Amino acid sequence: SAGQAAAELEAKLIVGQLVGNPDLSDGTAVFHADHGNVAASGAALSVASLAAARKAMRLQRGVDDEQLVNVRPRFLIVPAALETAAEQIVAEITAETVATVNPFSGALQVLVEPRLDASSETAWYLAASPAAVPSLAFAVLDGRDGPSIETRDAWVIDGMEMKVRHDCASFWLDYRGVYRNPGA
């Protein structure tokens, strides 16, 4: 149960960063028009809206605001409400004509996060591989890879006392590797 609680804490911290949309060091929210990583108006998850999101990510510019970063989206992050639609959009199908080719077939991995539903059942996100463009970070204290557990024999009662501590945090490194569409 301690391991489950630690995993739940980690997920809550990460989702909190996604939906909380905090300001970065430039004083602008992570998902903002000035960063070019949010849809101007919400659109339902579709090939057309994914194409617009992919284009916006590909056109991201570096810190110098001149060099193109050419971000390749790798993950489609959706609430449980959009799971089926997301799976349909990235499904591998054999097209009979060029017009029916699925450009996202095998290109995106769907990540379903049911904690997103509480904030919005229509919003969806694209994210680059963290190895390519580190954006959202998760860190643990002192290189610990999980919660620390301490025990001691109880004196007042027959048994053992247990303390579980998980020192971790989630925070943004860069906005260029993520994109948000509020959905429709």
Side-chain angles (χ1 to χ4, degrees):
S1 65
Q4 287 176 328
E8 179 66 21
L9 173 63
E10 293 174 3
K12 282 182 179 180
L13 290 173
I14 292 169
V15 169
Q17 290 293 319
L18 273 175
V19 300
N21 199 20
D23 287 351
L24 295 173
S25 60
D26 64 1
T28 305
V30 174
F31 300 105
H32 193 277
D34 291 352
H35 289 155
N37 68 346
V38 65
S41 61
L45 186 58
S46 67
V47 170
S49 61
L50 272 175
R54 179 172 61 179
K55 178 182 177 185
M57 289 182 77
R58 292 280 194 188
L59 295 177
Q60 282 290 350
R61 297 201 174 267
V63 188
D64 61 4
D65 204 34
E66 292 182 21
Q67 182 179 355
L68 286 172
V69 181
N70 193 19
V71 178
R72 177 182 172 256
R74 179 69 190 112
F75 302 102
L76 173 57
I77 306 165
V78 297
L82 294 178
E83 181 174 5
T84 301
E87 288 173 341
Q88 287 175 326
I89 288 175
V90 301
E92 295 188 29
I93 57 173
T94 304
E96 293 183 22
T97 66
V98 173
T100 60
V101 168
N102 180 358
F104 297 103
S105 173
L108 296 171
Q109 179 181 348
V110 176
L111 300 178
V112 180
E113 179 48 70
R115 291 167 195 83
L116 291 173
D117 289 77
S119 174
S120 171
E121 291 188 349
T122 60
W124 52 270
Y125 304 82
L126 279 182
S129 166
V133 184
S135 296
L136 183 56
F138 179 79
V140 292
L141 184 63
D142 196 30
R144 295 181 182 160
D145 57 356
S148 60
I149 301 172
E150 297 177 30
T151 60
R152 72 177 180 184
D153 290 331
W155 181 255
V156 179
I157 60 168
D158 290 334
M160 183 183 298
E161 293 178 327
M162 180 181 288
K163 177 171 71 171
V164 179
R165 178 179 32 243
H166 191 28
D167 298 312
C168 58
S170 181
F171 50 92
W172 288 100
L173 299 171
D174 196 348
Y175 63 86
R176 291 171 186 87
V178 291
Y179 182 91
R180 181 180 191 270
N181 188 306

